[in-house]
Amino acid sequence: MESPVQDVASDEAADLLRDPYPFFAKKRRETGGVFRGSVMDWSQAPDAMPENLYAAVSFDAVNRVFRDGKVFNSHIYDNTIGLFIGPTILAMEGKKHWDHRNLVSSAFKSKSLARWEPEVVRPVVTALIDEFVEDGRADLVRDFTFEFPTRVISKLLGLPEDDLPWFRKRAVELISYHVRYKRAFEASAALKDYFLDQIEQRRSKPTEDIIGDLVSAEIDGEKLSDESIFSFLRLLLPAGLETTYRSSGNLLYLLLTHRDQFAAVQNDRDLIPAAIEEGLRFETPLTTVQRYATEETELEGVTLPRGSVIDVCIGSANRDENRWERSEEFDIFRKRVPHISFAAGEHTCMGLHLARMETRVAVECLLDRITNIELIPDDNPHIAGQPFRSPTALPVTFDPVG
Ligand code: HEM
């Protein structure tokens, strides 16, 4: 029996963080898409590794796990990120999940999305570019990709402008829960008090923003409790802010290092949606999530005992050679076949349209405002991390347009 610890707790651990894709490809080649072991680096805490650990790495295996929420249950989040954000739809299943998701999704109506683009996203992105466009150089992670989803979320929630620095700091502390858990707990408590105050204000004076929508959301006379609201708001930080800043950083990095494709997008903005989808396929911001098996089951020929923990490897599924030709190449012109970066089934990302729209607007505005953009190679910018991946910095030089 193969030991996952031997697989990853070795000199290869660093390589796995830098680029886990060769390891994913090896596992797809050597197995039928599912194996006993892990795609994560457990070398830091091998004792914490669950005994019955399996990994799904083919597209079909990952897709089946996502679509069978009865057998592959997401309660596992209660013991991980749920400790920091509280009980949310991410860890619910079945009717409870359905009812709850219907209530919170009222804040993400397509009507709102159409309004958010001109009223919130474009002004936020434009103002941000104004802040660095005359400098001729910037770190696009620090100055742009991290900052725009934070500002967008804060505006969509209807938070006062002056609270942005405080909110940004607490958001970073919360999403860094895997490295500084004590500070993340403190941030979580501070955000709870802050959101409770915002909820209270909307009860006395209704507003047209996400918090206002959550406060008034009602199905069959049922309203959301305060705890459900502030937990959902805290969920939006890792779910909506971290994923979007990382995926837009990945896309910019990929375009800046594939100059012919960058030039094509610059000349034809209609290519931006295809570039976004290919960026999400090729470098998903979140490579792996987990599920529990609620009963003994078979997955791609492998018997998983009841209680198994499964690494659901989105990153590997997105490079499955049985689904995409030249799957290990970034190619915005490829025949479009849906990726699985937004998951599938009942937990399919609730913010996928917002994420796509934010990224499109960010790329459009950037291309409108700056030209001759070059990565500064001396700083060795690159994408890294597992399970969250993105460039830590994107130092660039450029000329302002006009
Ligand atoms: C490129 C950006 C994004 C990616 C790649 C992404 C990816 C995902 C994935 C993989 C899941 C499923 C997790 C699981 O089942 O274990 C998910 C769920 C979710 N996402 Fe996103 N997401 C993105 C942006 C957003 C945004 C912008 C928001 C909202 C502001 C958002 C809100 C949510 C919520 C609320 C869920 C939970 C849905 C449920 O459990 O029913 N996401 N996302």
Side-chain angles (χ1 to χ4, degrees):
M1 183 64 62
E2 198 172 16
S3 157
V5 178
Q6 276 165 14
D7 268 347
V8 289
S10 63
D11 292 346
E12 290 171 16
D15 292 344
L16 198 59
L17 275 185
R18 172 71 185 251
D19 183 5
Y21 285 97
F23 174 75
F24 297 163
K26 181 167 166 273
K27 287 301 183 187
R28 282 196 309 277
R29 258 193 327 270
E30 291 175 354
T31 71
V34 176
F35 63 96
R36 177 138 195 232
S38 177
V39 293
M40 301 297 296
D41 169 24
W42 289 90
S43 58
Q44 302 302 313
D47 295 347
M49 190 170 67
E51 213 172 283
N52 273 335
L53 189 54
Y54 290 79
V57 287
S58 68
F59 185 89
D60 288 347
V62 167
N63 194 32
R64 150 98 201 278
V65 173
F66 276 139
R67 289 178 188 276
D68 192 346
K70 193 166 164 291
V71 174
F72 300 103
N73 178 293
S74 67
H75 283 178
I76 194 156
Y77 279 119
D78 284 334
N79 301 323
T80 54
I81 194 170
L83 298 172
F84 298 89
I85 58 177
T88 68
I89 52 170
L90 207 49
M92 293 174 193
E93 294 298 341
K95 184 171 176 338
K96 187 174 175 197
H97 171 263
W98 176 251
D99 290 347
H100 212 90
R101 184 168 160 129
N102 270 336
L103 274 170
V104 290
S105 64
S106 62
F108 284 85
K109 305 180 281 277
S110 52
K111 201 171 96 235
S112 312
L113 200 72
R115 197 162 48 83
W116 289 341
E117 176 170 346
E119 288 179 15
V120 176
V121 180
R122 237 164 237 286
V124 159
V125 170
T126 304
L128 204 48
I129 298 175
D130 285 346
E131 289 176 25
F132 62 78
V133 70
E134 293 303 327
D135 299 345
R137 60 193 302 142
D139 170 0
L140 290 180
V141 172
R142 185 195 57 208
D143 302 332
F144 192 59
T145 56
F146 179 75
E147 198 55 26
F148 81 78
T150 313
R151 293 193 191 183
V152 166
I153 282 273
S154 128
K155 279 208 185 290
L156 296 183
L157 296 183
L159 307 182
E161 199 114 354
D162 288 350
D163 293 354
L164 181 66
W166 183 92
F167 177 69
R168 183 196 294 111
K169 194 161 184 297
R170 300 287 96 76
V172 172
E173 288 167 353
L174 185 72
I175 63 180
S176 308
Y177 67 94
H178 34 82
V179 275
R180 285 203 195 92
Y181 71 89
K182 191 166 170 284
R183 192 162 295 177
F185 272 123
E186 288 162 8
S188 171
L191 283 163
K192 171 186 162 182
D193 292 342
Y194 178 73
F195 286 141
L196 275 173
D197 183 47
Q198 295 291 322
I199 292 167
E200 208 38 60
Q201 287 180 32
R202 280 154 187 81
R203 288 238 160 81
S204 45
K205 194 163 173 260
T207 51
E208 279 193 26
D209 50 44
I210 287 183
I211 303 182
D213 285 349
L214 293 172
V215 165
S216 58
E218 190 176 315
I219 291 181
D220 298 335
E222 185 85 16
K223 284 202 166 210
L224 287 163
S225 67
D226 283 359
E227 188 188 31
S228 297
I229 300 179
F230 68 70
S231 297
F232 180 72
L233 294 171
R234 286 190 300 207
L235 167 66
L236 291 183
L237 303 179
L241 191 160
E242 180 161 25
T243 47
T244 311
Y245 100 73
R246 288 184 186 271
S247 65
S248 51
N250 289 348
L251 176 61
L252 289 177
Y253 174 83
L254 290 167
L255 288 174
L256 289 168
T257 52
H258 294 78
R259 298 304 303 200
D260 46 339
Q261 299 187 49
F262 181 73
V265 173
Q266 212 164 17
N267 291 330
D268 181 0
R269 303 296 157 81
D270 289 346
L271 289 172
I272 293 175
I276 292 174
E277 296 313 305
E278 178 64 352
L280 281 165
R281 180 195 75 83
F282 190 75
E283 273 289 3
T284 177
L286 174 59
T287 64
T288 310
V289 299
Q290 289 186 318
R291 293 290 191 267
Y292 274 132
T294 57
E295 56 187 62
E296 184 180 298
T297 187
E298 200 174 292
L299 186 60
E300 302 291 303
V302 176
T303 303
L304 312 184
R306 179 168 181 259
S308 303
V309 171
I310 301 115
D311 282 352
V312 188
C313 191
I314 295 170
S316 179
N318 277 344
R319 301 243 191 140
D320 191 331
E321 34 292 286
N322 291 325
R323 192 170 166 85
W324 289 275
E325 279 177 24
R326 300 172 291 105
S327 61
E328 303 282 351
E329 278 174 39
F330 174 74
D331 178 4
I332 65 169
F333 299 107
R334 70 168 58 249
K335 184 169 160 257
R336 208 112 310 277
V337 176
H339 56 71
I340 201 153
S341 295
F342 291 118
E346 61 187 338
H347 290 282
T348 297
C349 177
M350 244 175 72
L352 81 179
H353 300 300
L354 172 61
R356 285 175 167 139
M357 182 266 278
E358 279 186 87
T359 313
R360 175 177 52 75
V361 172
V363 175
E364 278 171 9
C365 291
L366 208 55
L367 294 180
D368 284 348
R369 304 285 305 281
I370 64 179
T371 185
N372 297 328
I373 178 166
E374 297 282 348
L375 267 181
I376 305 176
D378 304 354
D379 296 344
N380 187 23
H382 61 272
I383 296 174
Q386 231 316 39
F388 283 106
R389 284 179 70 68
S390 59
T392 44
L394 281 176
V396 289
T397 54
F398 52 82
D399 294 320
V401 170

